[in-house]
Amino acid sequence: MNEGSTESLAAAWEYVQAHGDALDRARFAALVGRNIEGGPIQPAAPQNPDGGWPAFWSAGLSTLDGTCYQLFLLRGLPAESLAADIPAALAFLTRAQAADGTWNEGPSPSTPLFEIPHWLLPGSPGARAYLTANCAAILADYNAEPDAVAKAAGVLEWLVDPHGRLPAPLVAHWLAARVLRTQARIMVVRRLLDVVGRSFEHFDASDLAWFGACTRPGDRWNRRIAARLVGMQNPDGSWTDAIGEQSPATLTVSAAHVVLAADQSGPVRYPAMQDLDDDESD
């Protein structure tokens, strides 16, 4: 590990210990191989009986986007340390996949009627592409439902236009690249990441941490993202996003995960990731 990364991670650790909640501290402890103190650790929001989690806009009812976010935060924590039913959450996502391999937010047997933000409305091509990429990426991260992930990858590849664009925000592009990499669809991954790269210099710390979580530890994109994050770190050891959607401690753990992954030299891979050459993600 280089000196800059070591200092960055040490400062981040101190910040999270001083300002983070129990989940933030547990996430960082798991990240660096330390024992998780206390427990069982509660997720950031209460889990519903159907296995899902709400979003801020869903009046407590389970949503796909909210469930993906909570699973993102809980990834890497041992099940015995959690007051959460991870298999039930993954089943919630799997049940919501349509026969064509896509996901849409909205009423279903497991998601009752609620008011959905315009950017997630069923029938919107952007919402469909984003939710399909997000749900499939989470399933891949947990090494769950490979058939569902493969079906989603086929849909996402079909949605990519000749210029490498999806009909969705940039976040869907790096999530889709994560999904398509599990199927070794490398040419499509390159096209998607070319599109992401055109806006890379404008990303804030939140974008970089999320993008970095979808890269392979130590690959070229991971190292590039980590270098930018180290340069953006606040003097107190934290990272903050442009609009303050996440607490600094929560974002700091996610950013530290990317910085640490960039320095890993061993065969560390997220579940279901293909062991491919570095230059596939240029």
Side-chain angles (χ1 to χ4, degrees), residues 200 208-209 211-213 215 220-230 258-259:
F200 180 75
L208 292 168
F211 180 16
T215 60
R220 294 182 184 183
W221 269 115
N222 181 207
R223 295 195 300 269
R224 186 178 176 189
I225 295 165
R228 278 206 63 205
L229 282 169
V230 169
V258 179
V259 173

